[in-house]
């Protein structure tokens, strides 16, 4: 170091810092995929939302956690997950879903929950085994100031893979809308995200309805 001027030492340190940053970016890139719904652009390759979701459902071995705001065409969207549950009795599926109260709707909370539960069984799920389904009781509150929305949209598989996305579990969001998400292959992150939802259920913030 005695043979280097302060300017040269600074240049060397900047090169080392730049190299470490590039190495870090490469490592992170190995664990992340951009997932996209909607029009593609030239020169940019992204993974398709519908493809990623179905791969996650089909490849699950031990557990799947789903959080979603809106669910339509559920029998189609969740078919591979329902099939995986029926084929693998040890596969545990927890779904955290929003129950929507329309503005001005004065239906009793318990009736909204029953309507949602009946609809899920009849129209949104095709499997013989039912998943565990949870909701946030605040979402059906008659008091607008206390009402909230379960707006998170993610999938966690085997506490190893996480998919966090803007896409709802609908045909439009999976195939036609412009939606962006990220597939994260980091078990430490997946365990943390899974643990947060588990804490919400164990603390009674999210209630089981199925």
């Amino acid at each position: 170091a005695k043979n280097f001027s302060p300017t040269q030492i600074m240049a060397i340190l900047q090169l080392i810092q730049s190299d470490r940053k590039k190495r870090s970016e490469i490592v992170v890139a190995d664990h992340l995929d951009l997932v996209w719904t909607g029009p593609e652009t030239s020169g940019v390759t992204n993974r398709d939302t519908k493809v990623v979701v179905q791969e996650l459902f089909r490849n699950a071995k031990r557990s799947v956690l789903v959080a979603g705001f809106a669910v339509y065409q559920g029998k189609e969207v969740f078919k591979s997950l329902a099939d995986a549950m029926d084929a693998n009795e040890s596969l545990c599926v927890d779904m955290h879903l929003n129950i929507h109260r329309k503005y001005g709707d004065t239906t009793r909370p318990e009736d909204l929950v029953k309507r949602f539960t009946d609809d899920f069984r009849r129209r949104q799920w095709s499997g013989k085994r039912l998943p565990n389904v949870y909701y946030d009781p605040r979402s059906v509150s008659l008091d607008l100031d206390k009402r909230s929305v379960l707006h998170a949209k993610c999938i966690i598989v085997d506490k190893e893979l996480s998919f966090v996305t803007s896409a709802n579990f609908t045909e439009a969001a999976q195939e036609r809308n412009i939606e962006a998400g990220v597939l994260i292959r980091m078990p430490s992150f997946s365990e943390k995200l899974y643990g947060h939802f588990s804490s919400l259920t164990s603390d009674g913030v999210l209630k089981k309805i199925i």
Side-chain angles (χ1 to χ4, degrees):
K2 292 181 179 179
N3 297 325
F4 294 100
S5 69
T7 301
Q8 291 173 319
I9 293 174
M10 180 61 69
I12 292 171
L13 291 175
Q14 288 175 343
L15 286 172
I16 293 173
Q17 183 181 30
S18 176
D19 180 68
R20 287 180 177 176
K21 182 179 179 181
K22 288 179 180 178
R23 289 175 183 269
S24 177
E25 289 175 349
I26 291 171
V27 170
V28 170
D30 288 340
H31 295 284
L32 302 177
D33 279 336
L34 176 61
V35 182
W36 184 263
T37 302
E40 299 289 345
T41 57
S42 60
V44 179
T45 302
N46 305 311
R47 298 206 61 192
D48 179 77
T49 299
K50 183 178 180 179
V51 172
V52 168
V53 168
Q54 298 308 313
E55 284 181 355
L56 288 171
F57 289 162
R58 284 195 300 268
N59 294 330
K61 299 295 187 294
R62 299 180 302 278
S63 66
V64 176
L65 187 150
V66 173
F69 169 65
V71 176
Y72 303 112
Q73 301 98 18
K75 284 189 176 181
E76 178 182 346
V77 175
F78 295 130
K79 185 180 185 306
S80 57
L81 180 57
D83 290 345
M85 276 192 74
D86 289 341
N88 180 2
E89 293 185 358
S90 64
L91 178 62
C92 177
V93 176
D94 294 332
M95 305 185 80
H96 303 77
L97 303 176
N98 185 68
I99 299 180
H100 177 61
R101 177 185 287 280
K102 295 180 180 179
Y103 182 77
D105 186 349
T106 58
T107 303
R108 297 188 307 167
E110 56 268 33
D111 291 337
L112 277 181
V113 172
K114 184 178 186 305
R115 184 189 305 166
F116 179 90
T117 303
D118 292 343
D119 179 79
F120 183 87
R121 292 174 182 270
R122 292 197 321 268
R123 300 174 57 191
Q124 309 301 339
W125 191 257
S126 62
K128 296 177 181 178
R129 292 177 59 210
L130 286 168
N132 302 311
V133 180
Y134 301 85
Y135 84 111
D136 185 342
R138 298 174 302 165
S139 66
V140 295
S141 174
L142 286 165
D143 188 340
L144 187 59
D145 291 334
K146 295 181 179 179
R147 196 177 307 162
S148 68
V149 172
L150 197 164
H151 205 253
K153 293 171 279 288
C154 63
I155 300 171
I156 308 167
V157 172
D158 297 334
K159 301 180 185 178
E160 295 178 353
L161 296 169
S162 294
F163 177 43
V164 180
T165 177
S166 66
N168 288 311
F169 294 100
T170 67
E171 180 271 337
Q174 300 283 308
E175 299 184 22
R176 292 184 282 111
N177 296 348
I178 293 180
E179 309 279 359
V182 58
L183 179 63
I184 306 166
R185 293 181 293 275
M186 294 180 179
S188 59
F189 176 85
S190 296
E191 289 176 2
K192 185 174 183 178
L193 185 57
Y194 186 97
H196 194 65
F197 277 100
S198 296
S199 295
L200 290 175
T201 58
S202 62
D203 291 347
V205 177
L206 301 178
K207 302 285 188 180
K208 185 176 179 180
I209 53 175
I210 297 177

